[in-house]
Amino acid sequence: MNMFCYQCEQTAKGSGCTAHGVCGKGPEVASLQDLTVHALKEISRYAHAARQLGVTDDETNVFTIKACFSTLTNVNFDAVDFQRLLQKATEIRQKIGNLYEDACRKQGKQPEDLNLHIDWWKSVNDLNALVDLGESVTIENRLKEYGDDVTGLQELIVYGLKGLSAYADHAQILGQQDDAVYAFVHEAFDYVSREPQDVEQLTAMALKTGAINLRAMELLDAGNTKTYGNPEPTQCRVTPVKGKAIVVSGHDLKDLHELLKQTEGKGINVYTHGEMLPCNAYPELKKFDHLVGNYGGAWQDQRKEFDEFPGAILMTTNCLQKPKDSYKDRIFTSGLVGWPDVQHIDDYDFTPVIEAALAQPGFTEDAPEKRIPIGFAHNTVMSVAENVVDLVKAGKIKHFFLIGGCDGAKPGRNYYTEFAEKVPDDCVILTLACGKYRFNKMEFGDIEGIPRILDCGQCNDAYSAIQIAVALSKAFDCGVNDLPLSMILSWYEQKAVAILLTLLHLGIKDMKLGPSLPAFVGPNVLNVLVEQFGLAPVATVEDDLAECLS
């Protein structure tokens, strides 16, 4: 059985995984994910049409973003989970279809036939049949029909929707929603389900995806900060403490909070991992004494790090790799994450995780203490913006570099370590997402009390970096592109795609992207991005640094 997937940076040979996903995704799951996206296009046709008649449905809205998020890289690898998802999609399709047709009748209109004419819903109880249907809606079919540019732009929109849906899902879990986000997701899926438009129109829709992603990140920022407080500068421990242990990876703050409440007083130390590192800076999380710090580094090192971790492991949202047998009995998933034969936690009942932690030896002694600075989200940086502006005007801060994004295992990412090392001492580094693990344990010092490395947080905290840039541009009475600011971005999966689209929507120019360019962006589309925005692949550290400082 073949597959075709080119949605992540580490795709095989830089062009597409055709036998088995580099991420660990097999062709069966790849096919089911393709079919899930197809189902979402059909559901969105009805939802978009119904919304034009004044009818919306909360269940359809939330299901759409959850199902879309489930197809993002490193979230769910379980074929049975996708069968259940498609079974639920069948119910949603029927519900929103009925709502649309009822609205048409009430308004004296003739309902359109909005089906995509592959009766996937008739096969939801037959897993093999679903896999076969998924093979009929593969990206390869559209590549043959429409070519690289049009298909690539369609997929650019879809991958932006996947990243947007991740942020919207996190936000709605924390009570933050905006119907405009749901409306656009349905509009965009409806758009890519139809005969494709030209490159210019498709590019405009991709940039609109970036605009709505900015709103989704704003919602998530509000959800995180209203629930857990604004992150504050914190010296976070990154070496182990003696005692029983649980490590939490992924992105979900609520999962961590609920776990902290349930482990209080049980003699278990809780560690963050990967993108959860910034959680140690939120006041309502750091007040738990048994949240003792961060363990390990970025997601791609988890198989080694989890193998060595003497406790239980909880994976929230994405960034899961195939678990080793050595720790498969003590790793757990929650939310939308799934792996075959790994126990899943429902309804925030972390009893099995706690029991597994108590059954493990834990760390037998304290490691030598080491701490790193975190917690420099937009609220913190804006509070010292006047000092920063004064230092720039005095010539003591010459330039700002945003060096961050996704990390990964593919060769070439040492570029980001070397770049950070070679940034001059009179420059400040902003960083976010797991790309910061390439250099965040190095010593960079400060410039008159302003740390030379400012960790803005998770990947969604690109919102913070944007707010910081906007605040500085107002302080200097200039456009963001006129600031002494360079963006050196790394990408891996679809949240990074959504963030890039947001930055392009905002008109940010001359960004550098690496370590390689997306396989779904063909040369003609790349030329458009280069001409309009000056987007360029990373080159050598010396050349890129010289260009930024020129």
Side-chain angles (χ1 to χ4, degrees):
M1 179 180 177
N2 293 322
M3 62 178 281
F4 183 82
C5 180
Y6 62 178
Q7 70 179 14
C8 86
E9 191 270 335
Q10 293 185 183
T11 186
K13 299 180 181 178
S15 58
C17 295
T18 56
H20 201 278
V22 172
C23 66
K25 176 173 62 179
E28 183 182 55
V29 169
S31 179
L32 293 169
Q33 289 186 356
D34 286 344
L35 187 60
T36 299
V37 171
H38 176 85
L40 290 176
K41 290 177 181 177
E42 189 163 293
I43 288 169
S44 293
R45 280 187 159 202
Y46 284 101
H48 181 59
R51 189 174 263 102
Q52 309 315 301
L53 300 175
V55 175
T56 61
D57 178 63
D58 290 343
E59 186 181 23
T60 300
N61 291 340
V62 173
F63 174 81
T64 301
I65 62 168
K66 286 187 178 295
C68 186
F69 184 10
S70 297
T71 67
L72 190 145
T73 301
N74 287 21
V75 176
N76 197 306
F77 299 81
D78 193 332
V80 174
D81 281 353
F82 280 100
Q83 182 180 17
R84 294 192 192 104
L85 199 62
L86 285 161
Q87 288 169 340
K88 183 64 178 178
T90 301
E91 297 175 20
I92 296 295
R93 175 193 170 277
Q94 186 66 44
K95 181 181 183 181
I96 193 63
N98 289 341
L99 288 171
Y100 164 67
E101 291 174 1
D102 288 345
C104 285
R105 282 191 289 270
K106 288 176 182 177
Q107 297 182 31
K109 300 178 182 293
Q110 179 64 36
E112 291 184 65
D113 179 7
L114 298 173
N115 291 344
L116 287 172
H117 305 296
I118 295 176
D119 297 342
W120 53 272
W121 62 90
K122 294 180 180 178
S123 302
V124 291
N125 294 320
D126 185 338
L127 183 58
N128 291 329
L130 289 175
V131 172
D132 290 343
L133 284 170
E135 289 189 89
S136 71
V137 294
T138 180
I139 297 166
E140 281 188 303
N141 294 345
R142 281 185 289 115
L143 284 168
K144 292 174 183 175
E145 185 172 0
Y146 302 129
D148 292 344
D149 290 338
V150 166
T151 303
L153 278 168
Q154 287 180 326
E155 291 306 294
L156 177 62
I157 294 166
V158 170
Y159 302 156
L161 292 175
K162 292 186 181 192
L164 185 164
S165 293
Y167 298 141
D169 181 57
H170 293 321
Q172 72 87 21
I173 287 172
L174 295 174
Q176 297 291 320
Q177 301 182 74
D178 183 346
D179 189 63
V181 173
Y182 298 126
F184 175 75
V185 171
H186 290 138
E187 175 193 353
F189 269 128
D190 173 84
Y191 179 84
V192 296
S193 75
R194 299 180 183 276
E195 284 297 312
Q197 306 299 311
D198 60 27
V199 167
E200 184 176 340
Q201 291 170 315
L202 284 161
T203 301
M205 180 59 78
L207 295 180
K208 188 175 180 182
T209 306
I212 302 302
N213 183 61
L214 179 61
R215 177 58 179 149
M217 290 195 296
E218 180 183 31
L219 290 169
L220 180 52
D221 180 76
N224 286 339
T225 56
K226 288 181 179 180
T227 307
Y228 305 111
N230 284 299
E232 52 194 28
T234 302
Q235 290 291 324
C236 178
R237 181 167 179 142
V238 292
T239 51
V241 177
K242 181 180 179 180
K244 303 287 185 178
I246 297 173
V247 65
V248 184
S249 194
H251 298 78
D252 195 284
L253 274 63
K254 184 172 182 178
D255 276 345
L256 176 61
H257 189 218
E258 294 300 322
L259 178 67
L260 287 169
K261 290 191 289 185
Q262 293 175 39
T263 49
E264 202 163 17
K266 288 186 167 59
I268 300 173
N269 293 320
V270 176
Y271 299 80
T272 57
H273 176 270
E275 286 265 54
M276 296 295 279
L277 166 62
C279 295
N280 292 275
Y282 284 88
E284 290 301 308
L285 298 175
K286 64 187 289 188
K287 72 181 184 181
F288 290 91
D289 291 339
H290 62 299
L291 178 60
V292 296
N294 193 72
Y295 170 82
W299 67 272
Q300 76 274 3
D301 297 326
Q302 68 183 251
R303 281 165 59 84
K304 177 180 183 295
E305 292 173 349
F306 291 172
D307 191 32
E308 296 171 351
F309 185 75
I313 305 149
L314 176 65
M315 294 299 305
T316 72
T317 67
N318 63 312
C319 296
L320 174 65
Q321 286 187 300
K322 180 181 179 179
K324 287 185 176 182
D325 291 340
S326 57
Y327 61 82
K328 199 171 185 180
D329 62 339
R330 54 187 174 90
I331 187 171
F332 302 83
T333 58
S334 63
L336 299 174
V337 188
W339 190 279
D341 302 322
V342 167
Q343 185 171 349
H344 191 79
I345 301 298
D346 293 310
D347 302 321
Y348 301 103
D349 180 1
F350 294 110
T351 301
V353 184
I354 294 168
E355 291 174 347
L358 292 172
Q360 295 297 315
F363 290 102
T364 57
E365 60 183 8
D366 292 346
E369 185 171 341
K370 178 177 174 58
R371 294 180 180 271
I372 61 172
I374 62 170
F376 294 94
H378 60 95
N379 188 69
T380 295
V381 176
M382 287 176 183
S383 71
V384 296
E386 187 175 340
N387 295 346
V388 172
V389 170
D390 288 344
L391 288 169
V392 173
K393 289 179 176 178
K396 295 179 180 179
I397 294 179
K398 294 289 180 61
H399 205 85
F400 297 88
F401 290 91
L402 173 59
I403 309 173
C406 301
D407 203 2
K410 192 174 179 180
R413 291 181 181 267
N414 285 339
Y415 166 94
Y416 298 93
T417 309
E418 186 181 348
F419 197 105
E421 289 176 323
K422 292 187 176 180
V423 166
D425 291 344
D426 57 3
C427 300
V428 171
I429 297 170
L430 303 172
T431 190
L432 50 81
C434 58
K436 61 176 164 269
Y437 282 107
R438 290 282 165 175
F439 49 82
N440 69 338
K441 294 178 184 177
M442 299 177 182
E443 296 292 338
F444 287 93
D446 66 84
I447 301 174
E448 295 197 7
I450 302 297
R452 286 194 55 240
I453 180 170
L454 301 176
D455 184 350
C456 296
Q458 295 184 331
C459 63
N460 57 279
D461 291 310
Y463 178 77
S464 274
I466 290 166
Q467 296 307 307
I468 292 168
V470 169
L472 289 173
S473 70
K474 288 179 180 177
F476 287 106
D477 192 25
C478 68
V480 172
N481 288 313
D482 298 318
L483 288 171
L485 168 67
S486 300
M487 296 195 181
I488 315 296
L489 307 176
S490 55
W491 81 284
Y492 171 64
E493 41 91 334
Q494 296 79 66
K495 284 184 286 185
V497 172
I499 291 169
L500 178 63
L501 292 176
T502 294
L503 295 171
L504 294 175
H505 153 73
L506 292 169
I508 308 297
K509 293 186 176 181
D510 300 324
M511 295 179 287
K512 297 194 179 297
L513 183 66
S516 61
L517 293 177
F520 49 85
V521 175
N524 294 328
V525 176
L526 179 60
N527 286 340
V528 171
L529 297 179
V530 170
E531 290 172 7
Q532 289 188 20
F533 302 102
L535 184 69
V538 296
T540 67
V541 169
E542 291 77 13
D543 288 348
D544 289 344
L545 192 56
E547 182 182 337
C548 292
L549 294 172
S550 63

